[in-house]
Amino acid sequence: MPPSEFLSAARVGRQRLISMTHSHAQLSWQDGQPMSAVFGDVYFSRASGLEETRHVFLRHNQLAERFAALLPHDGFTIAETGFGTGLNFLCAWQCFDARAPAGARLHFVSAEKYPLTPVDLAQALALWPELADLSGQLLAQYDVLTPGWHRFVLADGRVTLTLMIGDVLETLPQLDARVDAWFLDGFAPAKNPGMWQQALFDQMARLSAPGASFATFTSAGEVRRGLAAAGFEVKKAPGHGKKRHISHGWIATPPAPDWQAPWFARPEPRWRERSAVVIGGGLAGAASARSLALRGWQVTIVERMPGLAGAASGNPQGVLYAKLSPHLTPLTRLVLSGYAYSLRALRGLLPEGDDWQACGVLQLAHNEKEAEKQRALDALRLPETVMRLLDRESASELAGTPLPTGGLHFPQGGWAHPPALVEKLADHPNILVKTGHTALELDYNPAQRSWTVSDESGPLATASAVVLAGAAETAQFDSTRHLPLKKIRGQITSIAASEESLRLRAVLCGEGYLSPARGGRHCLGATFKFDADDLAVRDDEHAENLAMLAALAPDLRASLTEDAPEQLGGRAAFRCTSPDYLPLIGPAVAARDFFAAYRELARDATLRPATACPWADGLYVNAAHGSRGLITAPLSGEILASLLEGEPAPLPADLMRAVHPSRFLLRDLIRRKVDPDAP
């Protein structure tokens, strides 16, 4: 969209209520097999769903042969309309495991308007014992899915699954991917005419890589004609079982690409080798390193502190919950995707116990404005396993302590020990950690297409790419000085648990938070100090945290009597935030180069320039996660890796733009806050 439309869309998004009425698939089971009660159609062939999938989607996309022809480190992308029971995905994964070389990666993207519940999915997949190993891995991560996009990392990173929960005609236009093969599935055209539209076929053509193939179980004339009109060569083939014909083919005449904003386009991957330096050893840096390492990159983490998670990621307990807005804000949608991803990451990396607990989170209605907001959120009707509204009595019973108000309960949430998560993310054979070194200089060698990172003693590492994940220090380099990063001091308080407080069974949140005891002590806080520039622990901020607790849970506060300053522990750190409170994740460009390329936008914001963005080649940013690091930082690694590897994005295009580091340069230029001709 033109830059003027981008700004307008952002304003509209802040005003429009979310349309998030959520529904899982309603199934009827006939002879042990699932059938959609809404569409009155089967999910797969009653005779042999497994063989039908292999015949239609695998054989007629020639996947076995194409997988075998891949080179190490190649990726292959399949997109599907209708995830259903996941049978097509599991069959493709099984074929990929058998035929693709080590190091190759499968990316599977699927749209699903009515996802199955975990119980129904497990019952359906139990029909296929030969897929039990793969379905077990999927079910271990699969949970109740909220509307939005969900990224799954499977098989130690060899396979990624991106589930787009929503109507396919709304999700595909937001997909940023180059698709190699299409599984055109979904209930039959006669049962589900709303999906089989020309708009669908046109989106397939837009997203197709050169030579992309498709296969579908239907041979309906309107489907074949629609595909042909979109530029596909369409063939008939014998169907499976009693079905006479299926359709398959490939993209014959790819459409001319639409104009895309070059400042949001992906830089072309130009790596001589898969190597990266990540500057910053907190959650964002460790997540970036992990996602790249899973893809075969050799990664060096450079951290200025003596150990990992020494700054804002070093608190003993962080809260994992989805603080949402009842409006369609980019932050709310990002939080929902990040929340689910962080839960999957924690379950896969750390045993529940000392380092994290899914004890649930109670977000209390501490004033009438908050209570009104919570009632609006409750009206969204998210699944109760994700969020539910409780009155005071129910909230008190669930928490195990008397509370002054009710609030929103997030049953899946809880607390985590961020240093343990950081250590686990960085624990990979492809990751080298160098602590106690401050990256002071970045030098790019265009002939070698490589970066050298140095401290005061000399070079620390050389690599093809650099990821700046050092919070506010990210803005200390030439290509990132323009980033509007802001430091906000926060202090947490650690206090000895009492006999009564040990009964607390959930994290309490309001204007601050209190976690259930870990190691006999509670963590509470944190303060917000915008103008502070030191990290000394202060008694007045301890008092502020204790006053917050008194308002949040007065009876529990009264039970904590070991509260003299000398009995309290605590630490202070700087959060790093941006003006719109969204993180900055993506490629970097120097302000002077950006303004030189697009200065005409200051005169006319409706222009559509074709000038390629003058990226700082191989330089990326991952910062400004603020107080939501546990929610947004783990997913940020997948966002960066998708950009560096040319993979399907894990978020819709509008959210990828919303977190792009260049958004502030664009806004300042359009609003004429800068002189584009200034040196």
Side-chain angles (χ1 to χ4, degrees):
M1 63 177 66
S4 57
E5 293 180 24
F6 166 71
L7 294 177
S8 177
R11 287 190 291 268
V12 171
R14 288 192 293 268
Q15 298 168 2
R16 190 169 61 234
L17 289 177
I18 295 177
S19 175
M20 292 185 66
T21 300
H22 183 66
S23 177
H24 280 89
Q26 303 300 310
L27 303 186
S28 60
W29 293 86
Q30 298 182 8
D31 301 323
Q33 297 195 10
M35 182 172 180
S36 170
V38 174
F39 293 99
D41 202 359
V42 295
Y43 278 90
F44 41 72
S45 166
R46 290 186 174 277
S48 176
L50 198 59
E51 290 307 315
E52 180 186 49
T53 287
R54 289 170 175 161
H55 174 76
V56 176
F57 298 112
L58 274 59
R59 190 167 303 135
H60 285 88
N61 276 300
Q62 298 180 304
L63 292 188
E65 298 85 350
R66 295 167 76 184
F67 289 162
L70 294 173
L71 299 175
H73 299 301
D74 277 355
F76 193 95
T77 298
I78 298 172
E80 177 187 50
T81 59
F83 186 72
T85 64
L87 179 60
N88 297 342
F89 165 61
L90 295 175
C91 285
W93 179 2
Q94 184 186 55
C95 180
F96 187 82
D97 265 357
R99 298 301 186 102
R105 304 184 73 249
L106 174 65
H107 311 291
F108 198 96
V109 183
S110 186
E112 178 56 64
K113 189 173 184 178
Y114 301 111
L116 270 66
T117 66
V119 172
D120 284 339
L121 187 68
Q123 184 175 345
L125 293 179
L127 295 168
W128 319 114
E130 68 180 272
L131 299 174
D133 178 56
L134 304 185
S135 61
Q137 294 181 58
L138 173 62
L139 289 167
Q141 295 195 30
Y142 191 90
D143 207 330
V144 172
L145 300 176
T146 57
W149 294 35
H150 299 271
R151 170 61 67 95
F152 297 75
V153 178
L154 301 155
D156 294 324
R158 181 168 163 85
V159 176
T160 59
L161 167 65
T162 304
L163 285 181
M164 306 179 296
I165 305 303
D167 190 294
V168 67
L169 297 180
E170 296 176 1
T171 56
L172 276 189
Q174 289 289 328
L175 178 60
D176 179 7
R178 293 287 88 186
V179 177
D180 298 299
W182 287 92
F183 289 3
L184 188 49
D185 203 357
F187 299 113
K191 304 281 188 179
N192 185 22
M195 187 193 89
W196 301 87
Q197 301 287 326
Q198 189 62 46
L200 169 63
F201 310 134
D202 291 343
Q203 284 298 320
M204 290 172 58
R206 178 186 71 85
L207 292 163
S208 289
S213 63
F214 81 90
T216 178
F217 64 89
T218 183
S219 61
E222 64 268 28
V223 172
R224 291 187 287 110
R225 289 188 293 273
L227 285 163
F232 289 90
E233 187 75 25
V234 183
K235 302 290 185 182
K236 274 188 178 183
H240 179 267
K242 296 180 180 180
K243 192 162 186 62
R244 292 181 60 194
H245 295 106
I246 65 169
S247 302
H248 68 109
W250 57 91
I251 190 77
T253 54
D258 294 334
W259 179 84
Q260 291 185 337
W263 45 84
F264 290 139
R266 299 180 181 217
E268 286 294 324
R270 303 196 304 154
W271 319 123
R272 295 187 63 176
E273 61 178 16
R274 281 175 163 78
S275 60
V277 179
V278 175
I279 298 176
L283 273 170
S288 302
R290 180 79 178 194
S291 289
L292 289 173
L294 288 173
R295 288 155 171 83
W297 287 59
Q298 300 298 313
V299 185
T300 301
I301 297 177
V302 176
E303 166 56 46
R304 62 185 175 85
M305 305 289 279
L308 295 175
S313 298
N315 286 346
Q317 288 174 290
V319 180
L320 189 82
Y321 81 114
K323 189 171 184 179
L324 307 175
S325 164
H327 296 81
L328 185 57
T329 64
L331 182 56
T332 286
R333 295 163 57 215
L334 176 65
V335 163
L336 282 171
S337 291
Y339 177 59
Y341 184 85
S342 293
L343 286 169
R344 287 190 288 273
L346 283 166
R347 291 167 186 155
L349 291 171
L350 295 173
E352 191 170 355
D354 291 339
D355 290 329
W356 85 284
Q357 287 184 9
C359 57
V361 172
L362 277 167
Q363 184 180 335
L364 301 181
H366 52 86
N367 56 38
E368 181 52 36
K369 181 178 179 181
E370 177 65 20
E372 182 180 353
K373 175 183 172 182
Q374 292 190 2
R375 288 190 292 270
L377 282 166
D378 185 53
L380 300 179
R381 292 194 290 164
L382 290 175
E384 286 197 351
T385 51
V386 175
M387 183 191 76
R388 56 179 179 159
L389 186 63
L390 300 181
D391 60 23
R392 184 184 63 80
E393 290 184 0
S394 299
S396 299
E397 182 179 357
L398 186 145
T401 189
L403 298 174
T405 69
L408 290 174
H409 179 221
F410 296 86
Q412 299 167 310
W415 62 265
H417 181 52
L421 179 56
V422 170
E423 290 285 349
K424 194 64 177 178
L425 286 168
D427 183 14
H428 191 281
N430 288 349
I431 297 176
L432 173 66
V433 177
K434 292 186 176 183
T435 57
H437 294 277
T438 300
L440 298 175
E441 294 184 6
L442 301 179
D443 295 308
Y444 183 65
N445 184 330
Q448 297 294 321
R449 297 203 299 273
S450 65
W451 291 87
T452 298
V453 179
S454 304
D455 66 2
E456 69 277 359
S457 300
L460 292 168
T462 299
S464 297
V466 172
V467 178
L468 301 178
E473 285 72 26
T474 294
Q476 69 180 331
F477 302 103
D478 287 344
S479 294
T480 54
R481 293 192 191 282
H482 63 278
L483 296 176
L485 300 177
K486 179 170 54 177
K487 294 194 300 185
I488 302 176
R489 172 191 159 95
Q491 179 176 312
I492 60 98
T493 298
S494 172
I495 188 169
S498 66
E499 182 178 349
E500 179 178 333
S501 74
L502 286 172
R503 301 190 189 102
L504 181 65
R505 295 193 294 265
V507 177
L508 303 181
C509 293
E511 293 186 314
Y513 72 89
L514 172 74
S515 296
R518 176 179 182 267
R521 299 187 72 84
H522 294 286
C523 181
L524 61 146
T527 58
F528 279 80
K529 302 299 176 184
F530 291 89
D531 299 320
D533 58 2
D534 72 273
L535 295 177
V537 176
R538 300 173 180 172
D539 290 347
D540 62 326
E541 291 189 44
H542 279 323
E544 189 177 327
N545 284 332
L546 291 171
M548 175 277 298
L549 177 58
L552 192 68
D555 287 17
L556 195 149
R557 167 66 185 98
S559 77
L560 300 172
T561 56
E562 296 183 18
D563 55 5
E566 64 272 12
Q567 297 171 320
L568 300 174
R571 70 188 301 272
F574 291 119
R575 308 172 184 89
C576 175
T577 66
S578 72
D580 59 10
Y581 297 100
L582 284 162
L584 282 71
I585 310 166
V589 58
R592 61 182 179 275
D593 298 333
F594 186 92
F595 294 146
Y598 305 117
R599 60 166 53 90
E600 65 268 27
L601 295 178
R603 174 178 52 84
D604 185 353
T606 67
L607 294 176
R608 294 189 171 194
T611 305
C613 192
W615 304 114
D617 195 14
L619 185 63
Y620 288 75
V621 170
N622 188 357
H625 294 273
S627 58
R628 298 178 179 86
L630 272 175
I631 296 294
T632 59
L635 180 60
S636 72
E638 285 297 293
I639 296 172
L640 273 180
S642 74
L643 295 172
L644 284 157
E645 282 281 292
E647 299 173 359
L651 291 173
D654 61 340
L655 279 189
M656 294 293 286
R657 294 191 294 265
V659 301
H660 199 289
S662 294
R663 66 188 187 268
F664 298 107
L665 289 174
L666 177 65
R667 292 172 186 176
D668 287 349
L669 187 59
I670 292 173
R671 293 168 178 170
R672 300 180 184 179
K673 292 185 176 181
V674 296
D675 179 1
D677 296 315

